[in-house]
Structures are given as C-alpha cells and as structure tokens.
Amino acid sequence: MRLLDKIDNPSDLKELTTEELKRLAGEIRQELITTVTANGGHLASNLGVVELTIALHRVFDSPRDKIVWDVGHQSYVHKLLTGRRQRFASLRQYGGLSGYTCRSESEHDPFGAGHASTSISAALGMAIARDLSGDDYRVVAIIGDGAITGGMALEALNQVGHLGSRLIVVLNDNGMSISPTVGVLAKLLSKVRFDRRYYQTKEEARRMLTTLPLGSKLWQVSQQVKAGLKGLVMPTMLWEELGFTYMGPIDGHNIRELEIALTQARDYYFKPTFVHVVTTKGKGYLPAEGDAVYFHGVSPKSENISAKVIPTYSEVFAQTVLHLARDNPRVVAITPAMPEGNCLSIVTAEFPQRVFDVGICEEHAVTFAAGLATQGFIPIVAIYSTFLQRALDQVIHDVCLQDLPVVFAIDRSGIVGEDGKTHQGTFDLSYLTLIPNLIVSAPKDENELQHLLYTAVKSSHPMAIRYPRNSGLGVELDTELHSIPIGKGEIVRQGEDVAILAIGAMVAPALEAAQELASNGIEAAVVNVRFAKPLDSELIINLANHIKRVVTVEENVLSGGFGSSLISLLQQSGVSNTQVKSVGLPDEFVEQGAQSILRSKYGLDAKGIAQQVLTLFPHPDSNSSLKVKNKVGVTPLIDT
Ligand SMILES: Cc1ncc(C[n+]2csc(CCOP(=O)(O)OP(=O)(O)O)c2C)c(N)n1
C-alpha cells in the first residue's frame, strides 16, 4: 500500500520518518503525473512544490493555521494531503475537484484563487483579523517569483512592512512564471538563487573565525563591514529593508532544511518573515524539468489525441500581428506574462524590440499601452478576458477617456473550460460595452479575426476584439487583409420566421441551429453581429420590424451583454410588438468542465439555440394557431 493512501489529513504526516517522507514525495509525483496527464492541468508547478507542501503541513497546523497559496494552480499536492486524495482523479473535471484553491471545497483552503498576486493581501487581512480578535494562529502566504512581480503583491508587501504584523511569506522561487520571469526583481532573485555559494562561504568563514582566539569578535566586526557592502550588493537586503526578517535561500527539495526554516519562521514573533525557497519547476520528471514552459499547463490527453490541424484563434491572432508589424513599424504588442498562451512568442522571434512581456501586471500593461499610444504607436494588448477584469479602470481612465488607439486582443473569451469559475471569460461584453469611445467586436471565425485586427490597427480609436479559446473553425485564411466597416454586421443566412442575432463564437452554432430549425419548417435569418458596440442599429431595427421574432445569442452573461444592449436599442427606437429572447449565460459563476459540456448545459450549442428559438413558436399540440406559414407540423426539438 502506498504511504499516500494513509494520509487522510495533514496530521498523518507528522509521524513519518525522513525516509518515508522521501518515499511519499515520490508517490505524490507519480500521482501528479498520472492524473494531470489524463485530465490536463498545471504539472510542472506542482512537481516543484512537493517537498515544500509536505514541510508546510508538517510544521503548520492547518486548518487552524492558514496556508494561502497564490494563484492556487500549485495546490494539487496540498489537496492530496488535505483529505481530497480520493477525489483527485476528478481534478478539473465537470463536477470534480477544482484546479485551484476553493473555500467551498475544503476548510484547508482559507482563500480561493485563480488569478495571481492575491495571496499576500489576503494573508495580511487574515493576520490582522487574528490580531484584532486576540487569536494566535499563523498565517502563511506562498507566492511564486512570477506572481510576486504583480502590482497587488507589491502593494501588499508595502503594507506588511508598514504594519509589521506577524505573517510569513514563502517565496517559491523557480525562476519561472509560465515563461521565464521578467523584470529587475527577477534579476535580483536570480542573483541569490544562483549564489548559494555566498551562503556556504559565509557559513565556512563563520566557523573558521569563531574557532580562533578573539574569533567571535572578529566575526562580528566582519559582519558589520559586510552589512554595509551587503546593502549595496546583496538582493536579500531588499526584504529586510521592506520590514521582513529574511531567511534563505533554502533548498526547496530538502524537507529537513525546509522544516528548519519554516519552524524558525513559525516561532518568530517579532516581525513578518520572508522565507526564500528555491525550487526546480517540474522537479522529478525529466521532461518537465527540461521544458517547464510546455509542462506549466498541459492539456488533457483527449485533446492531445485530436490532431491539431486547425489553427487556434491565438495562433491566427499572432500570425496577423506578425503581418501587421511587418507592414507598420509603429505596431507593437504587449503581453502580461502570457507570450506562450497567446502565441506572441512567434512575433518576439522576429521583432524582439516590439513585443513586451511586462510580467503578471495587467493594469500596468494597459497603461503602458496608453503611454505608447500617446506617442503615435499602435499597441496591441493581448490579454485573456478573465485577466483584463483586473485592468478595468486602466481601460476606462487611461485609454478610453483619452480615446487612445489601443487594441485589446481579448483571448479566452466566453467559456474556457476546465480552469473553471476563476477563468471563464464571461463578463467582457458587459464590462466593455459600458465604456464610451470603445469599439467592441467579436469575429465569427478566425479569418474574420484577421480582418478585425487589421480594422482595429487602422481605426485610431480604442478597439476590443474578443475571441474564444481553442481552434478556429478551419475556414480559409485570406492573405490580403481589409477593413470592416465599424459597427456593421452581416446577414449570413436569410429567413423570415425568426432572426437569430449571434456574436462571435456563437455565429457558427446559430447557423447550425438554423439548419435544424429548417428541417422543422422554420426559416431563420442569422446575423453575424460582429460589433457589440456600436451596434448595427439600422440592420437590427429593420430586422426587428420585419421579422418580429428576434433571438440574441452570446457567450457572455446576459446582464449587461449584447442582448440587453439590443433590447435597449429596440426600446429607444420605438420598435414594438417584436418578441425578443436573449440566449446567454445566467447570473452565476460558470463552473469547470469541458467547453462542449458547458455549452450544452447553458444552451449555447446548436441544439440549445434551436430549442430556445422554438419557445417563440406555439407548441403544435397547443390550440393556439400558428401564424407562420407551414408551421403546423413543427416537431419540437425538446421534450417539453
Ligand atoms: C492575474 C493573472 N494573470 C495571469 C495569470 C496566468 N498565470 C497562471 S500561473 C502564472 C505563472 C505564475 O508564476 P509563479 O508565480 O512563479 O508560479 P510557478 O508556476 O512558477 O510556480 C501565470 C502568469 C493568472 N493566473 N493571473
């Protein structure tokens, strides 16, 4: 029997010998590899924190002590050790364990996450709550060297030092964000990481000097001199200056060394402590150690099998940026730490000076773009929908208020799948369409994405283009790009009984739905709306006056989305007697699961759309006469 199978909660770890702990670490790694390869997820990050997580749970007393993981993507080992082992095979599956920390999942997750750089703020809140209530538990924030470069983390560090509250920050330093961590802080950290020799030398000097007569006095003097020098050259001093007691660097794969440092931090009552732990991302699995970028987040086995012949939206996006950058030296691109996810690395390869990875800093990315735009550059900010939420004020205040020509390429819009509630891109149409000056668009396929990007670069105004995760539709890609008139949609299918107005990724299933409806005797017009703002009011009002049954379809929450803009347009234009049905996502956080499962659950696939359209037509079995020609024999697609 595996040792892992005997760990039902963290206290079971405390009895294990050093040898058993090593064996356990091996078993955990095996479990991670098996489950993550099958389900997809963050493999390398978790392989890197096996020993750290074991040590944390041996030294601290969770759930009384609060262990707060930043991002939460590296919490799989924590899950395995905190009573979730038996459900681990359901990781990231529909109805299964979340791939992030989640308060409703376990009392061992004191804070839910998915977005980066929140742990120190949340942990500080807990520490202050503890102090105010006269309690005595410990609070530990574990943050990566990528996440610590995020603005929120730096803001939190500033307040931790100011308050001086008893809080432990563990830096899990592996030199990597998803790609190598960028910025001067990363450089400082790497100095320490690669300079463990400094500490060994220091230790040897101390031992040597203290064995001599007057040696300890000499040691003290040498330390004072060194302290001056160290302030100049040693990056570790940064943390001391910020108000922490610094410990490290600690070998993050040596459980004993980790336990000693964490115990010291746990029992230190005077100041916040900063424990600098050096780990290897992907540790113990050679392919992941060799390519931590690829193994940061792996796809489920099933997705790998379906040969990737159709390019993803992200790939088409990046190819188009390359094309635009070749044509216009003023086109630049910005990514907050996702050059692989949004494929901009191919542009970096050709234009290293014109692509900026700014780190996990979405707010800064947007305002940095605004600055570039004031000087005549055309910045394309490539950002995932969920992470753009962070930078809403920057979009409003720094870009749109000044009507600066920044292009927002919003990847992973709509339902993203297994990453779940923290990552769904289901709000952007709502929070973007409320902003004056901003053009908000979504292509019906990857070819239109190219043309919208071209349009955005030429538009001289801020423009957002949202597109989904995964492959395009496999349509042919035009080699010549052209502008699309701003605010103009297109009728992609004629019909007289009902008009389905769909935006972005919903156009294709709306067309399929129209086909299904046709086989039931209903002729649906389908409109590729293309612009959620400005709306094509001429087209929409004409259709609504003419057809009298309108269905809007969007992969976005209904509140504040395209459907609600359309209803308000019809109201303001005095269009009456037109039935409108809005299809979209309800007022809830969309859970995790395969895109196809979730689209079907929320009626955002062809079948679901057709079903919702049918609700506008009287049921054939009811007595009400059908006003639409030839509709008497309509078979409903749903068993109502
Ligand atoms: C606000 C935000 N932006 C981007 C991401 C995407 N993301 C997830 S993990 C990660 C890298 C984190 O690096 P680090 O903190 O060093 O952790 P590691 O995986 O290296 O252990 C990024 C950029 C995110 N989760 N949240």
Side-chain angles (χ1 to χ4, degrees), residues 168-240:
I168 299 155
V169 174
V170 174
L171 175 68
N172 169 28
D173 180 7
N174 53 29
M176 299 291 290
S177 184
I178 293 179
S179 312
T181 307
V182 295
V184 281
L185 197 54
K187 270 195 199 141
L188 280 176
L189 291 176
S190 72
K191 266 195 198 172
V192 182
R193 206 172 40 246
F194 293 121
D195 216 357
R196 276 176 66 81
R197 280 168 307 138
Y198 172 87
Y199 288 86
Q200 279 154 14
T201 314
K202 187 172 124 183
E203 188 47 29
E204 276 156 24
R206 189 189 63 77
R207 249 189 273 126
M208 233 176 66
L209 283 174
T210 46
T211 52
L212 296 173
L214 285 179
S216 41
K217 186 79 203 147
L218 266 174
W219 170 248
Q220 275 170 25
V221 174
S222 78
Q223 284 310 286
Q224 280 157 14
V225 174
K226 200 155 200 182
L229 285 175
K230 208 171 150 191
L232 284 177
V233 295
M234 280 312 295
T236 57
M237 288 301 280
L238 172 71
W239 311 108
E240 299 272 349

Side-chain angles (χ1 to χ4, degrees), residues 22 32 63 67 104 122 143 166 248 281 284 337 392 446 495 509 523 586:
K22 278 193 193 152
L32 289 172
I67 298 180
S104 58
I143 185 162
R166 193 158 52 90
K281 201 158 173 170
L392 180 57
E446 64 272 32
E523 284 307 326

Side-chain angles (χ1 to χ4, degrees), residues 45 73 114-116 144-147 174 176-177 281 360 362 387 390:
S45 310
H73 66 305
H115 289 197
D145 56 296
N174 53 29
M176 299 291 290
S177 184
K281 201 158 173 170
I360 311 181
E362 288 76 10
F387 303 138
R390 280 259 158 114

